[in-house]
Amino acid sequence: MLATFNRLIKDDEGATAIEYGLIAGLVSVAAITALGAMGNSLDEMFTFVSNRLDNAVAAGSGGGGGTPSP
C-alpha cells in the first residue's frame, strides 16, 4: 500500500499533460488576439484602397474613353 502511494506521488505524467494544455490555451488566446488586430487593420487598408479607387474612377470618368493624348 505504501509503495503504491509513493508511486502515485512520484508520477508526474498528469501534471505534464495539464501544463501542455495550459500552454496550448495561452497560444490560442495570443493567436486570436493577433488575428483580430490584423483583421481590423486589413479592413481599414482595403477601405482606404477602395475609396482611392472610387475617387480615381470618378475623377477620370469625364472623358470619352480610349487612350489619353500626350
Side-chain angles (χ1 to χ4, degrees):
M1 178 80 155
L2 187 59
T4 304
F5 183 70
N6 284 335
R7 193 172 61 235
L8 285 174
I9 290 176
K10 292 179 183 179
D11 186 17
D12 63 351
E13 289 182 20
T16 303
I18 291 172
E19 290 169 356
Y20 283 136
L22 289 172
I23 290 170
L26 289 173
V27 168
S28 298
V29 168
I32 290 169
T33 303
L35 292 175
M38 188 173 65
N40 290 338
S41 65
L42 282 175
D43 183 43
E44 292 173 4
M45 181 181 67
F46 281 119
T47 301
F48 175 77
V49 170
S50 175
N51 290 338
R52 293 293 298 253
L53 288 173
D54 287 342
N55 292 339
V57 169
S61 65
T67 56
S69 58

